[in-house]
Amino acid sequence: MTYAGKKIKDARKRTGLTQRELATHSGVSVSTIRKLEQGERSGARMETLHALARALRLPTMALVTEPREEGAHAGTRELWAPVRAELMRPPAPDGDAPATPTGVARVLAASVPLYRDHRFTELAAVLPSLLRDADTLSDEGRGVRVRVLQLAAGALTHTRQFDIAEPVVRRALADAQDRMEGSASVNTLAWLRIRQGRLDEALSLATQWADEMEPRMSRATDAELSAWGLLLLRASGAAARNNQTGVASDMLRLARSAATAIGREVRLEHENVRTFGPTTVRMHTVEDALVKDRPDSVLRLAERMPLYSVRPSSSARSRHGLDVASAHARLGQFAEAFGKLSEIQAGSPEWFPNQPFARNTLQTIIDGRRTLTPEMRRMADALHLSL
């Protein structure tokens, strides 16, 4: 019997539930529960463990032995091989002619839209030389170097290359000139931890930094409120996934107060692509409702999304779209769910294949249909989903 299977069985017995009753409360099939408890399945998706833990009133991490992560596909690693090689090479000799902060900043500014628009093939081609030049900058260009490292760490996390993303984001954090710069790297590191399934670590990291950066509301700047609010949202996301609903709600409430104080969506100087404001908080409210398995609330909240001249990043909007697609699928609205997935795939074709959440939603659609359309089969291929 696996560790998770034993924990599920022990907790189920303590609560007096049969396997069938646990299936009813969690939404996980009896056959899956039986196979986990009998050791016929060596592992389960985090989504499955979260549902079982919620029904058993346990933190999700209580059912996890080692943090499990789904890494990048071979094609992704091949595309990013030059970037990885550049990040792992020894420092450039002192005799090399250094780049200028102005020149590196100019290339960085041209590269950020590639990240925002999920044009990862183009970004992977630009990053090796950008990282090489940034590495030659003196202390005068330290802030530029930090932002280049943050950009690389974010792209590597998006493409699930966690092994190399972590040392890069830690380099950015170590080089940060102030706590505002540091908070951007901490946000990425906490996000990386969530994607790895290391929820306790993500919550601890984001909470610690949020506590230390809490501003005095009466005189806080928009940048200070935004940095604090983003850390709170990251902590809320980790807590919600770990079934710590009270903590998640408290963090989300504080983030909402920061967004209300700003009153609009703002783009941040210390961040490459993140925004913060009422729209970002509403998107996280939608996500929170989905994690709590309230798909009807997801769709209702999504309809009332506030709009401002500054829009959240493509990543935030695409992730929000996946929440909406999953809500439709959980309600058996398969046509609407697949339509939303198709919309996201068309808008972010290089981001979409690296999203296990999209794969899980498509699997729900497939399980609920008797036949598949050619479009569904093509999407399954894009998501590396075996039929």
Side-chain angles (χ1 to χ4, degrees), residues 128-188:
S129 59
L130 180 58
L131 286 162
R132 191 175 309 117
D133 287 347
D135 199 36
T136 69
L137 295 176
S138 63
D139 278 350
E140 181 187 0
R142 188 170 159 189
V144 177
R145 182 168 62 247
V146 166
R147 291 192 65 191
V148 170
L149 290 170
Q150 288 173 343
L151 183 72
L156 291 164
T157 303
H158 265 307
T159 51
R160 306 193 71 80
Q161 300 178 83
F162 305 131
D163 60 325
I164 192 69
E166 178 166 349
V168 176
V169 74
R170 288 196 178 278
R171 280 172 57 188
L173 179 57
D175 229 7
Q177 300 174 103
D178 54 41
R179 296 195 67 76
M180 295 296 288
E181 267 189 4
S183 72
S185 296
V186 167
N187 203 303
T188 297

